[in-house]
Amino acid sequence: MFSQSGLTTKDAAGLAPADDFVIVVNPDAGGERRRLAEAVTAALAARGRRVVVETAIHRGHIRQTAESVRAGALLVAGGDGSVNEAVRGLLARPGPRPKLGVVPQGTVNVLAQELRLPKDGAALAEIFLRGATKPLYVGLANGRPFTLMASAGLDAEVVKTVDIGRKRLKRHLGRLAYALAAAKIFARGGFPDIEAETDAGALRAKCVVVAKSRYYGGNYVIDASADVTRPGLSLVALTEVSPRAALALFRYVATGRLDEAGCVKRLAIRKATLRGAGAAQIDGDYLGPAPVEICEAEETLDVFAA
């Protein structure tokens, strides 16, 4: 694995040349899709570019690599949680920073869909070689960066259940682990309200999502106007939780017609505070209990995009 000419596996922090690539791989994400990282690495090396491959060996490894790596580009092979780690590390260091690249693997990689990245290794490598980037606008939840969304309420409880008690199921079942957790939470019932105070008004709901991304949980459109490469936040609130509302919501989300759902409210915002008795999550990882204060970061990152 990764034995092509021009590749090394030494400490990425020792690199200096601005045209080098460092690819950090989450070994727990992706299964068969790890082959995409191998294909990208081989394609870059075949074009004479120096590539250092680093395998993440513990939680926080990707963030630490992003904080210290000296190279022109940092490529992250993993899911959205792995990318979030890299974003945290890059924002923690002074500029100039390496360009950020996404090699999609893991349970789901929504950011790769947002950036319209191909799933073919050679095609993805061409994007990295071309060097063209867009600004990645990042949100902050209690000071912690997110690229896709932050939320409190029902969906955050699902994420908490999977993160704390069902990580092994997540590795084996992927998105089905979230469905099982949601079924358990629905059966339990008793969903407390989330209070959202924003610069565009206040509301109460069972689930409040503050999104940077137009997609949620894969290829489901939560806000067609959202764009991770443009400023702004979108608040989407689910005001009713019931089997009937859940079925209607799934139908509207699956068909891209969420605006027609009567149990959904939407606000264009710049900042929000979410309060309630439930959990909070960012980019599919458990953040902690509410409250959570949300705004947009002042700095952007350069991210490879199609």
Side-chain angles (χ1 to χ4, degrees):
M1 181 174 173
F2 302 135
S3 60
Q4 292 86 353
S5 175
L7 304 185
T8 66
T9 56
K10 69 175 185 179
D11 183 5
L15 288 174
D19 61 348
D20 279 341
F21 287 88
V22 170
I23 180 167
V24 59
V25 180
N26 178 357
D28 291 332
E32 289 298 314
R33 295 187 64 193
R34 286 181 219 161
R35 295 177 182 173
L36 181 60
E38 298 180 38
V40 168
T41 306
L44 293 173
R47 295 284 291 274
R49 304 300 292 271
R50 184 164 180 258
V51 185
V52 170
V53 180
E54 184 162 325
T55 299
I57 58 175
H58 58 78
R59 192 176 184 91
H61 188 134
I62 296 174
R63 175 179 53 81
Q64 293 168 0
T65 297
E67 285 181 359
S68 60
V69 67
R70 294 198 301 271
L74 174 65
L75 310 181
V76 182
D80 289 313
S82 300
V83 176
N84 182 278
E85 273 200 44
V87 168
R88 289 175 65 189
L90 290 173
L91 287 176
R93 61 187 284 173
R97 302 179 176 98
K99 297 175 182 179
L100 174 64
V102 179
V103 179
Q105 62 183 42
T107 305
V108 66
N109 197 305
V110 176
L111 185 59
Q113 293 179 196
E114 287 283 325
L115 300 172
R116 298 177 175 83
L117 297 177
K119 297 179 181 179
D120 174 76
L124 189 54
E126 283 300 319
I127 290 174
F128 300 148
L129 288 165
R130 190 165 64 241
T133 62
K134 291 183 178 181
L136 179 66
Y137 285 84
V138 178
L140 297 175
N142 289 348
R144 180 169 163 178
F146 64 90
T147 61
L148 304 175
M149 87 294 288
S151 70
L154 177 60
D155 77 322
E157 290 293 336
V158 172
V159 168
K160 176 184 176 182
T161 299
V162 173
D163 261 18
I164 293 178
R166 300 194 173 194
K167 284 195 172 183
R168 182 173 297 178
L169 278 180
K170 179 181 175 181
R171 284 196 295 268
H172 292 290
L173 301 180
R175 280 184 278 187
L176 182 57
Y178 292 96
L180 293 174
K184 178 180 178 181
I185 291 170
F186 262 96
R188 186 175 66 211
F191 307 105
D193 283 346
I194 297 296
E195 299 177 5
E197 297 178 5
T198 82
D199 57 303
L203 55 80
R204 297 172 68 92
K206 299 300 183 182
C207 175
V208 178
V209 178
V210 178
K212 281 298 307 169
S213 165
R214 73 192 302 262
Y215 294 110
Y216 182 93
N219 58 352
Y220 302 117
V221 177
I222 191 172
D223 186 346
S225 67
D227 189 335
V228 296
T229 65
R230 294 180 182 177
L233 297 167
S234 177
L235 183 147
V236 180
L238 176 64
T239 59
E240 179 185 352
V241 175
S242 67
R244 181 189 64 82
L247 289 173
L249 187 66
F250 178 79
R251 183 174 68 252
Y252 285 121
V253 169
T255 57
R257 296 159 46 221
L258 190 60
D259 287 333
E260 300 177 25
C263 59
V264 172
K265 294 183 179 180
R266 191 193 311 275
L267 293 173
I269 65 169
R270 298 181 63 185
K271 59 183 180 179
T273 300
L274 309 184
R275 295 187 175 90
Q281 66 92 17
I282 56 172
D283 290 352
D285 283 337
Y286 176 54
L287 177 65
V292 56
E293 295 186 2
I294 301 170
C295 63
E296 200 163 43
E298 294 182 359
E299 297 181 277
T300 62
L301 298 173
D302 293 327
V303 64
F304 292 102

